[in-house]
Amino acid sequence: MVTRRDLLNAGAAAGALATGLPRAFAAGPTPNPAVDFDIPRGACDCHVHVIPDPAQFPMSPARGYTPPVATAKELLSLQEFLHLDRVVIVTPSIYGTDNRATLEGMRELGPRRARGIAVIDDKTSAEALDDMQKTGVRGVRVNLEQAGEFDPAAAAKKLQAAVDRVKDR
């Protein structure tokens, strides 16, 4: 059975082949038309991903797709184009529970602009949670599907365990 993800990957590959450019070197999208209305001060894009150089930030071998590079610099350009002041960078599933790319993107954009959502599991240390909080992580994502968890009772336990670990942070 062909999944939505299969179709998206095939479309992205076809687009990359049609341009003759490797996907990793394709330019980020340019919105069109320009924003021609007032954006409220403090407006926030509440869910974006940063995908820096895979040589420096390797993706999980168990990932279901391979997105093109999308740097913090490109994100900042997009934010400025859209007149947005703040952003929430979410660790995508391609990194598993490795939050380094998200944290680096947050550092590049700075604490006045960026906050983050980290992916955690039961192996994420208390020290790592504390460090992420200091960097600006304000929420966690428990990716049950990526972990292969489909039982509602087991999923509820995993979610409660994550809540218990971060509630005082």
Side-chain angles (χ1 to χ4, degrees), residues 73-139:
K73 183 178 179 182
E74 290 171 323
L75 174 57
L76 181 58
S77 293
L78 178 63
Q79 293 282 298
E80 290 171 347
F81 180 86
L82 296 173
H83 308 288
L84 297 171
D85 295 328
R86 301 177 306 132
V87 64
V88 178
I89 302 173
V90 179
T91 299
S93 62
I94 60 166
Y95 293 117
T97 58
D98 182 352
N99 295 288
R100 291 177 300 141
T102 294
L103 297 171
E104 182 61 25
M106 292 167 57
R107 285 184 199 97
E108 285 186 48
L109 270 61
R112 298 191 83 190
R113 181 176 291 271
R115 293 289 185 265
I117 302 295
V119 176
I120 67 166
D121 64 11
D122 57 347
K123 296 175 195 84
T124 307
S125 72
E127 180 181 80
L129 292 171
D130 291 340
D131 289 344
M132 287 187 277
Q133 180 191 20
K134 289 175 191 167
T135 304
V137 168
R138 295 297 180 259

Short mmCIF file of all heavy atoms in Angstrom, two decimals, residues 73-139:
data_model
loop_
_atom_site.label_atom_id
_atom_site.label_comp_id
_atom_site.label_asym_id
_atom_site.label_seq_id
_atom_site.Cartn_x
_atom_site.Cartn_y
_atom_site.Cartn_z
N LYS A 73 19.78 29.94 9.18
CA LYS A 73 19.94 31.18 8.41
C LYS A 73 18.77 31.36 7.44
O LYS A 73 18.22 32.44 7.31
CB LYS A 73 21.27 31.17 7.67
CG LYS A 73 21.55 32.43 6.91
CD LYS A 73 22.91 32.36 6.22
CE LYS A 73 23.16 33.64 5.43
NZ LYS A 73 24.43 33.60 4.73
N GLU A 74 18.39 30.26 6.76
CA GLU A 74 17.23 30.33 5.86
C GLU A 74 15.95 30.61 6.64
O GLU A 74 15.10 31.37 6.19
CB GLU A 74 17.09 29.02 5.08
CG GLU A 74 18.18 28.80 4.07
CD GLU A 74 18.16 27.40 3.47
OE1 GLU A 74 17.86 26.43 4.19
OE2 GLU A 74 18.45 27.30 2.27
N LEU A 75 15.83 29.99 7.81
CA LEU A 75 14.66 30.22 8.64
C LEU A 75 14.58 31.68 9.06
O LEU A 75 13.51 32.30 9.00
CB LEU A 75 14.69 29.32 9.87
CG LEU A 75 13.59 29.55 10.90
CD1 LEU A 75 12.20 29.40 10.31
CD2 LEU A 75 13.77 28.60 12.08
N LEU A 76 15.70 32.25 9.44
CA LEU A 76 15.71 33.66 9.83
C LEU A 76 15.28 34.55 8.66
O LEU A 76 14.49 35.48 8.84
CB LEU A 76 17.09 34.07 10.34
CG LEU A 76 17.21 35.52 10.80
CD1 LEU A 76 16.23 35.85 11.91
CD2 LEU A 76 18.64 35.80 11.25
N SER A 77 15.76 34.25 7.47
CA SER A 77 15.35 35.03 6.29
C SER A 77 13.85 34.93 6.07
O SER A 77 13.19 35.94 5.77
CB SER A 77 16.08 34.53 5.04
OG SER A 77 17.44 34.80 5.12
N LEU A 78 13.31 33.74 6.21
CA LEU A 78 11.87 33.55 6.06
C LEU A 78 11.11 34.31 7.14
O LEU A 78 10.12 34.99 6.86
CB LEU A 78 11.52 32.06 6.11
CG LEU A 78 10.03 31.72 6.02
CD1 LEU A 78 9.45 32.16 4.68
CD2 LEU A 78 9.82 30.23 6.25
N GLN A 79 11.58 34.22 8.37
CA GLN A 79 10.93 34.94 9.48
C GLN A 79 10.90 36.45 9.20
O GLN A 79 9.88 37.10 9.41
CB GLN A 79 11.68 34.68 10.79
CG GLN A 79 11.60 33.26 11.28
CD GLN A 79 10.27 32.99 11.94
OE1 GLN A 79 9.94 33.60 12.94
NE2 GLN A 79 9.50 32.09 11.37
N GLU A 80 12.01 36.98 8.73
CA GLU A 80 12.08 38.41 8.43
C GLU A 80 11.15 38.77 7.28
O GLU A 80 10.46 39.79 7.31
CB GLU A 80 13.53 38.81 8.15
CG GLU A 80 14.37 38.76 9.40
CD GLU A 80 15.87 38.95 9.16
OE1 GLU A 80 16.31 38.87 7.98
OE2 GLU A 80 16.59 39.16 10.15
N PHE A 81 11.12 37.93 6.24
CA PHE A 81 10.25 38.17 5.10
C PHE A 81 8.78 38.20 5.52
O PHE A 81 8.00 39.02 5.05
CB PHE A 81 10.47 37.08 4.04
CG PHE A 81 9.62 37.25 2.82
CD1 PHE A 81 10.04 38.05 1.77
CD2 PHE A 81 8.39 36.60 2.71
CE1 PHE A 81 9.25 38.21 0.64
CE2 PHE A 81 7.61 36.74 1.59
CZ PHE A 81 8.04 37.55 0.54
N LEU A 82 8.42 37.30 6.44
CA LEU A 82 7.03 37.20 6.90
C LEU A 82 6.70 38.18 8.03
O LEU A 82 5.57 38.22 8.50
CB LEU A 82 6.73 35.77 7.35
CG LEU A 82 6.80 34.70 6.24
CD1 LEU A 82 6.66 33.30 6.84
CD2 LEU A 82 5.75 34.96 5.17
N HIS A 83 7.70 38.93 8.49
CA HIS A 83 7.53 39.89 9.59
C HIS A 83 7.15 39.21 10.90
O HIS A 83 6.34 39.73 11.68
CB HIS A 83 6.51 40.97 9.24
CG HIS A 83 6.77 41.66 7.94
ND1 HIS A 83 7.81 42.54 7.76
CD2 HIS A 83 6.16 41.55 6.74
CE1 HIS A 83 7.81 42.97 6.52
NE2 HIS A 83 6.82 42.39 5.87
N LEU A 84 7.71 38.04 11.13
CA LEU A 84 7.46 37.31 12.38
C LEU A 84 8.63 37.54 13.33
O LEU A 84 9.79 37.53 12.91
CB LEU A 84 7.30 35.82 12.11
CG LEU A 84 6.10 35.45 11.24
CD1 LEU A 84 6.15 33.98 10.84
CD2 LEU A 84 4.80 35.77 11.95
N ASP A 85 8.33 37.74 14.59
CA ASP A 85 9.36 38.05 15.58
C ASP A 85 9.89 36.81 16.30
O ASP A 85 11.00 36.82 16.80
CB ASP A 85 8.80 39.00 16.65
CG ASP A 85 8.43 40.36 16.08
OD1 ASP A 85 9.09 40.80 15.12
OD2 ASP A 85 7.47 40.97 16.59
N ARG A 86 9.06 35.77 16.39
CA ARG A 86 9.43 34.62 17.20
C ARG A 86 9.13 33.33 16.47
O ARG A 86 8.35 33.31 15.53
CB ARG A 86 8.67 34.66 18.53
CG ARG A 86 8.95 35.93 19.32
CD ARG A 86 8.16 36.05 20.61
NE ARG A 86 6.74 35.91 20.39
CZ ARG A 86 5.95 35.12 21.12
NH1 ARG A 86 6.43 34.41 22.12
NH2 ARG A 86 4.66 35.04 20.88
N VAL A 87 9.75 32.25 16.96
CA VAL A 87 9.57 30.95 16.31
C VAL A 87 9.75 29.84 17.34
O VAL A 87 10.51 30.00 18.30
CB VAL A 87 10.56 30.78 15.14
CG1 VAL A 87 12.00 30.77 15.62
CG2 VAL A 87 10.27 29.54 14.32
N VAL A 88 9.04 28.75 17.13
CA VAL A 88 9.22 27.54 17.94
C VAL A 88 9.79 26.47 17.02
O VAL A 88 9.12 26.05 16.06
CB VAL A 88 7.90 27.06 18.58
CG1 VAL A 88 8.13 25.78 19.38
CG2 VAL A 88 7.30 28.15 19.46
N ILE A 89 11.01 26.06 17.30
CA ILE A 89 11.68 25.02 16.50
C ILE A 89 11.40 23.69 17.17
O ILE A 89 11.66 23.51 18.36
CB ILE A 89 13.19 25.28 16.40
CG1 ILE A 89 13.45 26.66 15.78
CG2 ILE A 89 13.86 24.18 15.58
CD1 ILE A 89 14.91 27.07 15.79
N VAL A 90 10.86 22.75 16.40
CA VAL A 90 10.48 21.43 16.90
C VAL A 90 11.45 20.39 16.32
O VAL A 90 11.70 20.38 15.12
CB VAL A 90 9.04 21.09 16.48
CG1 VAL A 90 8.63 19.71 16.97
CG2 VAL A 90 8.07 22.16 16.99
N THR A 91 11.97 19.53 17.15
CA THR A 91 12.84 18.46 16.67
C THR A 91 12.01 17.51 15.81
O THR A 91 11.03 16.94 16.29
CB THR A 91 13.48 17.69 17.84
OG1 THR A 91 14.27 18.59 18.60
CG2 THR A 91 14.35 16.55 17.33
N PRO A 92 12.41 17.32 14.54
CA PRO A 92 11.66 16.41 13.67
C PRO A 92 12.01 14.95 13.94
O PRO A 92 13.06 14.64 14.50
CB PRO A 92 12.10 16.83 12.26
CG PRO A 92 13.47 17.39 12.45
CD PRO A 92 13.48 18.01 13.82
N SER A 93 11.14 14.06 13.50
CA SER A 93 11.33 12.63 13.75
C SER A 93 12.60 12.07 13.10
O SER A 93 13.11 11.05 13.55
CB SER A 93 10.11 11.85 13.27
OG SER A 93 9.94 12.02 11.87
N ILE A 94 13.14 12.75 12.11
CA ILE A 94 14.34 12.25 11.41
C ILE A 94 15.55 12.16 12.32
O ILE A 94 16.53 11.48 11.98
CB ILE A 94 14.69 13.10 10.18
CG1 ILE A 94 14.95 14.54 10.60
CG2 ILE A 94 13.60 12.98 9.13
CD1 ILE A 94 15.61 15.38 9.55
N TYR A 95 15.51 12.85 13.45
CA TYR A 95 16.62 12.83 14.40
C TYR A 95 16.38 11.91 15.60
O TYR A 95 17.22 11.85 16.51
CB TYR A 95 16.93 14.24 14.91
CG TYR A 95 17.48 15.16 13.85
CD1 TYR A 95 16.80 16.31 13.47
CD2 TYR A 95 18.70 14.89 13.23
CE1 TYR A 95 17.30 17.15 12.50
CE2 TYR A 95 19.21 15.72 12.26
CZ TYR A 95 18.50 16.85 11.89
OH TYR A 95 19.01 17.69 10.92
N GLY A 96 15.25 11.23 15.64
CA GLY A 96 14.96 10.42 16.82
C GLY A 96 14.90 11.32 18.05
O GLY A 96 14.19 12.32 18.06
N THR A 97 15.67 10.99 19.08
CA THR A 97 15.70 11.82 20.30
C THR A 97 16.96 12.69 20.36
O THR A 97 17.28 13.23 21.41
CB THR A 97 15.62 10.94 21.56
OG1 THR A 97 16.70 10.02 21.55
CG2 THR A 97 14.30 10.20 21.64
N ASP A 98 17.66 12.84 19.24
CA ASP A 98 18.84 13.70 19.16
C ASP A 98 18.38 15.12 18.87
O ASP A 98 17.94 15.43 17.76
CB ASP A 98 19.79 13.20 18.08
CG ASP A 98 21.06 14.03 17.98
OD1 ASP A 98 21.16 15.09 18.65
OD2 ASP A 98 21.96 13.64 17.21
N ASN A 99 18.44 15.98 19.86
CA ASN A 99 17.91 17.34 19.76
C ASN A 99 18.97 18.37 19.39
O ASN A 99 18.70 19.57 19.40
CB ASN A 99 17.24 17.72 21.08
CG ASN A 99 16.03 16.87 21.35
OD1 ASN A 99 15.00 17.02 20.71
ND2 ASN A 99 16.15 15.94 22.29
N ARG A 100 20.18 17.95 19.04
CA ARG A 100 21.27 18.90 18.80
C ARG A 100 20.99 19.88 17.67
O ARG A 100 21.32 21.06 17.78
CB ARG A 100 22.57 18.15 18.52
CG ARG A 100 23.12 17.41 19.74
CD ARG A 100 24.37 16.62 19.42
NE ARG A 100 24.09 15.63 18.40
CZ ARG A 100 24.91 15.30 17.41
NH1 ARG A 100 26.10 15.85 17.33
NH2 ARG A 100 24.57 14.38 16.52
N ALA A 101 20.37 19.44 16.58
CA ALA A 101 20.08 20.35 15.47
C ALA A 101 19.10 21.44 15.90
O ALA A 101 19.27 22.62 15.57
CB ALA A 101 19.54 19.58 14.27
N THR A 102 18.09 21.06 16.64
CA THR A 102 17.11 22.03 17.15
C THR A 102 17.78 23.02 18.09
O THR A 102 17.59 24.24 17.98
CB THR A 102 15.96 21.31 17.87
OG1 THR A 102 15.24 20.54 16.89
CG2 THR A 102 15.02 22.27 18.56
N LEU A 103 18.59 22.52 19.00
CA LEU A 103 19.27 23.40 19.97
C LEU A 103 20.22 24.35 19.26
O LEU A 103 20.30 25.54 19.62
CB LEU A 103 20.00 22.56 21.02
CG LEU A 103 19.09 21.68 21.89
CD1 LEU A 103 19.93 20.74 22.74
CD2 LEU A 103 18.17 22.53 22.74
N GLU A 104 20.93 23.86 18.26
CA GLU A 104 21.84 24.73 17.50
C GLU A 104 21.05 25.80 16.75
O GLU A 104 21.45 26.96 16.72
CB GLU A 104 22.69 23.91 16.54
CG GLU A 104 23.68 24.73 15.75
CD GLU A 104 24.71 25.46 16.60
OE1 GLU A 104 25.01 25.03 17.75
OE2 GLU A 104 25.22 26.51 16.15
N GLY A 105 19.94 25.43 16.14
CA GLY A 105 19.10 26.41 15.47
C GLY A 105 18.59 27.47 16.42
O GLY A 105 18.57 28.66 16.10
N MET A 106 18.21 27.06 17.63
CA MET A 106 17.75 28.02 18.64
C MET A 106 18.88 28.97 19.02
O MET A 106 18.66 30.18 19.15
CB MET A 106 17.25 27.27 19.88
CG MET A 106 15.97 26.48 19.64
SD MET A 106 15.59 25.33 20.98
CE MET A 106 15.54 26.45 22.38
N ARG A 107 20.08 28.44 19.19
CA ARG A 107 21.23 29.29 19.53
C ARG A 107 21.51 30.30 18.42
O ARG A 107 21.79 31.46 18.68
CB ARG A 107 22.47 28.45 19.80
CG ARG A 107 22.46 27.73 21.12
CD ARG A 107 23.77 26.97 21.37
NE ARG A 107 23.60 25.96 22.38
CZ ARG A 107 23.37 24.67 22.15
NH1 ARG A 107 23.34 24.19 20.93
NH2 ARG A 107 23.19 23.84 23.15
N GLU A 108 21.43 29.84 17.16
CA GLU A 108 21.71 30.73 16.03
C GLU A 108 20.69 31.85 15.94
O GLU A 108 21.04 32.98 15.60
CB GLU A 108 21.73 29.94 14.72
CG GLU A 108 22.98 29.10 14.53
CD GLU A 108 23.04 28.45 13.16
OE1 GLU A 108 22.80 29.15 12.15
OE2 GLU A 108 23.32 27.24 13.12
N LEU A 109 19.43 31.56 16.22
CA LEU A 109 18.40 32.59 16.15
C LEU A 109 18.34 33.45 17.41
O LEU A 109 17.83 34.56 17.38
CB LEU A 109 17.03 31.97 15.87
CG LEU A 109 16.70 31.83 14.40
CD1 LEU A 109 17.65 30.95 13.66
CD2 LEU A 109 15.28 31.39 14.20
N GLY A 110 18.85 32.93 18.50
CA GLY A 110 18.92 33.70 19.73
C GLY A 110 17.71 33.54 20.62
O GLY A 110 16.62 33.21 20.16
N PRO A 111 17.91 33.78 21.93
CA PRO A 111 16.85 33.55 22.92
C PRO A 111 15.66 34.51 22.81
O PRO A 111 14.59 34.20 23.30
CB PRO A 111 17.57 33.70 24.26
CG PRO A 111 18.75 34.55 23.96
CD PRO A 111 19.16 34.24 22.55
N ARG A 112 15.84 35.65 22.18
CA ARG A 112 14.71 36.57 22.05
C ARG A 112 13.77 36.13 20.95
O ARG A 112 12.61 36.51 20.95
CB ARG A 112 15.21 37.98 21.77
CG ARG A 112 16.07 38.50 22.93
CD ARG A 112 16.35 39.93 22.80
NE ARG A 112 15.17 40.61 23.36
CZ ARG A 112 14.95 41.88 23.26
NH1 ARG A 112 15.81 42.66 22.66
NH2 ARG A 112 13.88 42.42 23.78
N ARG A 113 14.28 35.33 20.01
CA ARG A 113 13.47 34.91 18.87
C ARG A 113 13.00 33.46 18.98
O ARG A 113 11.88 33.14 18.58
CB ARG A 113 14.25 35.08 17.58
CG ARG A 113 13.45 34.69 16.34
CD ARG A 113 14.20 34.95 15.06
NE ARG A 113 14.37 36.35 14.77
CZ ARG A 113 13.51 37.11 14.09
NH1 ARG A 113 12.41 36.58 13.62
NH2 ARG A 113 13.76 38.37 13.87
N ALA A 114 13.84 32.55 19.46
CA ALA A 114 13.55 31.12 19.33
C ALA A 114 13.34 30.40 20.65
O ALA A 114 14.07 30.61 21.61
CB ALA A 114 14.69 30.45 18.56
N ARG A 115 12.36 29.53 20.64
CA ARG A 115 12.13 28.55 21.69
C ARG A 115 12.09 27.19 21.00
O ARG A 115 12.07 27.10 19.78
CB ARG A 115 10.81 28.80 22.41
CG ARG A 115 10.79 30.09 23.22
CD ARG A 115 11.70 29.96 24.45
NE ARG A 115 11.61 31.12 25.30
CZ ARG A 115 12.44 32.15 25.26
NH1 ARG A 115 13.42 32.19 24.38
NH2 ARG A 115 12.31 33.15 26.08
N GLY A 116 12.03 26.12 21.79
CA GLY A 116 12.06 24.81 21.17
C GLY A 116 11.18 23.78 21.83
O GLY A 116 10.77 23.93 22.99
N ILE A 117 10.92 22.75 21.06
CA ILE A 117 10.23 21.55 21.52
C ILE A 117 11.19 20.39 21.24
O ILE A 117 11.61 20.19 20.10
CB ILE A 117 8.90 21.31 20.77
CG1 ILE A 117 7.96 22.50 20.92
CG2 ILE A 117 8.25 20.00 21.23
CD1 ILE A 117 7.46 22.76 22.33
N ALA A 118 11.56 19.66 22.28
CA ALA A 118 12.51 18.56 22.15
C ALA A 118 11.78 17.22 22.14
O ALA A 118 10.70 17.09 22.71
CB ALA A 118 13.50 18.59 23.31
N VAL A 119 12.39 16.24 21.49
CA VAL A 119 11.86 14.88 21.51
C VAL A 119 12.61 14.12 22.60
O VAL A 119 13.85 14.12 22.62
CB VAL A 119 12.04 14.18 20.15
CG1 VAL A 119 11.56 12.73 20.22
CG2 VAL A 119 11.28 14.94 19.07
N ILE A 120 11.87 13.52 23.50
CA ILE A 120 12.51 12.78 24.59
C ILE A 120 11.95 11.36 24.66
O ILE A 120 10.90 11.06 24.11
CB ILE A 120 12.34 13.48 25.96
CG1 ILE A 120 10.88 13.46 26.41
CG2 ILE A 120 12.89 14.90 25.91
CD1 ILE A 120 10.67 13.83 27.87
N ASP A 121 12.69 10.53 25.37
CA ASP A 121 12.20 9.20 25.71
C ASP A 121 12.69 8.88 27.12
O ASP A 121 13.25 9.76 27.80
CB ASP A 121 12.63 8.15 24.68
CG ASP A 121 14.14 7.94 24.59
OD1 ASP A 121 14.90 8.44 25.46
OD2 ASP A 121 14.58 7.27 23.65
N ASP A 122 12.50 7.66 27.57
CA ASP A 122 12.88 7.32 28.94
C ASP A 122 14.39 7.28 29.15
O ASP A 122 14.85 7.23 30.28
CB ASP A 122 12.24 6.00 29.36
CG ASP A 122 12.60 4.83 28.44
OD1 ASP A 122 13.14 5.06 27.34
OD2 ASP A 122 12.33 3.68 28.83
N LYS A 123 15.16 7.35 28.07
CA LYS A 123 16.62 7.36 28.19
C LYS A 123 17.19 8.77 28.27
O LYS A 123 18.38 8.94 28.51
CB LYS A 123 17.25 6.60 27.02
CG LYS A 123 16.89 5.13 26.99
CD LYS A 123 17.45 4.47 25.73
CE LYS A 123 16.83 3.14 25.48
NZ LYS A 123 15.56 3.18 24.78
N THR A 124 16.38 9.78 28.05
CA THR A 124 16.85 11.17 28.11
C THR A 124 17.15 11.51 29.57
O THR A 124 16.28 11.40 30.43
CB THR A 124 15.78 12.13 27.55
OG1 THR A 124 15.41 11.70 26.24
CG2 THR A 124 16.32 13.55 27.49
N SER A 125 18.39 11.92 29.82
CA SER A 125 18.82 12.16 31.21
C SER A 125 18.22 13.44 31.79
O SER A 125 17.85 14.36 31.05
CB SER A 125 20.34 12.24 31.27
OG SER A 125 20.80 13.44 30.68
N ALA A 126 18.17 13.50 33.11
CA ALA A 126 17.71 14.71 33.80
C ALA A 126 18.64 15.88 33.47
O ALA A 126 18.19 17.01 33.30
CB ALA A 126 17.65 14.47 35.31
N GLU A 127 19.94 15.59 33.36
CA GLU A 127 20.91 16.64 33.01
C GLU A 127 20.62 17.20 31.62
O GLU A 127 20.65 18.42 31.41
CB GLU A 127 22.33 16.09 33.06
CG GLU A 127 23.38 17.11 32.72
CD GLU A 127 24.78 16.52 32.76
OE1 GLU A 127 25.16 15.85 31.77
OE2 GLU A 127 25.47 16.73 33.78
N ALA A 128 20.30 16.32 30.67
CA ALA A 128 19.97 16.78 29.32
C ALA A 128 18.70 17.63 29.34
O ALA A 128 18.62 18.66 28.66
CB ALA A 128 19.80 15.59 28.38
N LEU A 129 17.70 17.22 30.11
CA LEU A 129 16.46 18.00 30.22
C LEU A 129 16.75 19.39 30.80
O LEU A 129 16.22 20.39 30.32
CB LEU A 129 15.44 17.26 31.08
CG LEU A 129 14.86 15.98 30.49
CD1 LEU A 129 14.03 15.25 31.54
CD2 LEU A 129 14.04 16.26 29.25
N ASP A 130 17.60 19.45 31.83
CA ASP A 130 17.96 20.73 32.43
C ASP A 130 18.70 21.62 31.44
O ASP A 130 18.42 22.82 31.33
CB ASP A 130 18.82 20.53 33.68
CG ASP A 130 18.04 19.89 34.83
OD1 ASP A 130 16.79 19.94 34.82
OD2 ASP A 130 18.69 19.32 35.73
N ASP A 131 19.64 21.03 30.69
CA ASP A 131 20.39 21.80 29.69
C ASP A 131 19.46 22.33 28.59
O ASP A 131 19.60 23.48 28.16
CB ASP A 131 21.50 20.96 29.07
CG ASP A 131 22.65 20.69 30.03
OD1 ASP A 131 22.74 21.39 31.08
OD2 ASP A 131 23.45 19.78 29.75
N MET A 132 18.52 21.49 28.16
CA MET A 132 17.59 21.93 27.12
C MET A 132 16.71 23.08 27.63
O MET A 132 16.45 24.04 26.91
CB MET A 132 16.73 20.76 26.64
CG MET A 132 17.51 19.78 25.78
SD MET A 132 16.49 18.50 25.03
CE MET A 132 16.39 17.32 26.38
N GLN A 133 16.30 22.99 28.88
CA GLN A 133 15.48 24.07 29.45
C GLN A 133 16.28 25.38 29.46
O GLN A 133 15.75 26.42 29.11
CB GLN A 133 15.03 23.72 30.86
CG GLN A 133 14.18 24.83 31.45
CD GLN A 133 13.92 24.67 32.92
OE1 GLN A 133 14.63 23.96 33.61
NE2 GLN A 133 12.90 25.35 33.40
N LYS A 134 17.54 25.32 29.85
CA LYS A 134 18.38 26.52 29.89
C LYS A 134 18.56 27.13 28.51
O LYS A 134 18.69 28.34 28.37
CB LYS A 134 19.75 26.19 30.50
CG LYS A 134 19.69 25.91 31.97
CD LYS A 134 21.03 25.46 32.50
CE LYS A 134 20.89 24.93 33.92
NZ LYS A 134 22.07 24.21 34.37
N THR A 135 18.55 26.29 27.48
CA THR A 135 18.71 26.77 26.11
C THR A 135 17.42 27.38 25.56
O THR A 135 17.46 28.15 24.62
CB THR A 135 19.19 25.62 25.19
OG1 THR A 135 20.39 25.08 25.75
CG2 THR A 135 19.48 26.09 23.79
N GLY A 136 16.28 27.05 26.15
CA GLY A 136 15.02 27.62 25.70
C GLY A 136 13.97 26.61 25.28
O GLY A 136 12.94 26.98 24.72
N VAL A 137 14.20 25.34 25.54
CA VAL A 137 13.18 24.34 25.27
C VAL A 137 12.06 24.53 26.28
O VAL A 137 12.30 24.61 27.48
CB VAL A 137 13.77 22.91 25.34
CG1 VAL A 137 12.68 21.86 25.35
CG2 VAL A 137 14.73 22.68 24.17
N ARG A 138 10.83 24.61 25.76
CA ARG A 138 9.69 24.85 26.64
C ARG A 138 8.63 23.77 26.55
O ARG A 138 7.56 23.89 27.15
CB ARG A 138 9.07 26.21 26.32
CG ARG A 138 9.99 27.38 26.61
CD ARG A 138 10.30 27.45 28.10
NE ARG A 138 11.17 28.55 28.43
CZ ARG A 138 12.47 28.45 28.66
NH1 ARG A 138 13.07 27.26 28.57
NH2 ARG A 138 13.20 29.49 28.96
N GLY A 139 8.91 22.72 25.81
CA GLY A 139 7.97 21.62 25.70
C GLY A 139 8.67 20.39 25.16
O GLY A 139 9.78 20.48 24.66
#
